[in-house]
Amino acid sequence: MSLILSKEWLKAAYLDLENISYIIKAEHLTSIVAFHSQQSIEKSLKAFITSKNIDIPKIHSLNKLFNICKEDVSINNNDLINLLDSLYIESRYPGDMGLLPYGKPTLKDAKEFYDFAENIFEHICSILNIPIYEIKTN
């Protein structure tokens, strides 16, 4: 049962990535790319947590979710995790939505967020031995 639920989390994560693929080149939507990147990572991590039969915590913090997974899921960029965490929290307030310390994310930032989210999604699929084509086609 946990693998079925993990796949559902991964499908939701993939939908965030698919949304990003449509808007990744739109400069006025970079904050939306940041938000969907955070969401994809969060859902990917929750897919992994579910696979371990651990109750999903009702949190959105990537740092806290990675802490739960750190024995099995490695990340290569704590700075991006921290940045996406702060962007998610700030996105709750429209005036500050998706703002970095230096302002709105650039297209370069957006691409980096997207690539990072996609890598984590693919990494979790690999760890769980779930072919990506199964996620994309369902």
Side-chain angles (χ1 to χ4, degrees):
M1 179 63 168
S2 64
L3 193 57
I4 292 169
L5 190 52
S6 292
K7 282 184 177 181
E8 292 304 313
W9 278 109
L10 288 170
K11 287 175 189 176
Y14 178 73
L15 290 176
D16 282 305
L17 292 173
E18 192 171 26
N19 280 321
I20 295 169
S21 73
Y22 290 110
I23 64 171
I24 191 67
K25 294 181 182 179
E27 193 164 359
H28 67 289
L29 297 176
T30 57
S31 59
I32 305 303
V33 169
F35 177 77
H36 281 289
S37 296
Q38 187 283 339
Q39 286 290 287
S40 179
I41 295 168
E42 178 183 332
K43 293 167 187 172
S44 295
L45 293 173
K46 288 181 176 180
F48 178 80
I49 293 167
T50 298
S51 77
K52 295 295 184 183
N53 291 315
I54 299 171
D55 288 335
I56 299 288
K58 294 185 189 277
I59 58 174
H60 304 286
S61 168
L62 298 181
N63 281 306
K64 290 178 181 177
L65 292 169
F66 264 118
N67 195 41
I68 295 168
C69 305
K70 68 183 173 187
E71 300 291 319
D72 301 292
V73 178
S74 60
I75 60 164
N76 57 2
N77 198 326
N78 283 328
D79 291 339
L80 267 182
I81 292 298
N82 292 329
L83 189 56
L84 286 167
D85 246 1
S86 70
L87 286 172
Y88 176 79
I89 291 165
E90 295 301 325
S91 73
R92 300 280 185 194
Y93 303 94
D96 296 329
M97 184 170 169
L99 293 182
L100 299 170
Y102 53 84
K104 189 175 176 197
T106 64
L107 284 172
K108 182 180 175 187
D109 294 328
K111 176 81 169 105
E112 185 176 21
F113 297 153
Y114 175 54
D115 290 344
F116 187 58
E118 188 172 47
N119 287 337
I120 290 170
F121 167 79
E122 291 173 356
H123 183 55
I124 299 293
C125 286
S126 176
I127 290 171
L128 298 181
N129 200 27
I130 297 172
I132 293 172
Y133 73 84
E134 285 184 15
I135 301 302
K136 291 181 177 182
T137 58
N138 290 322

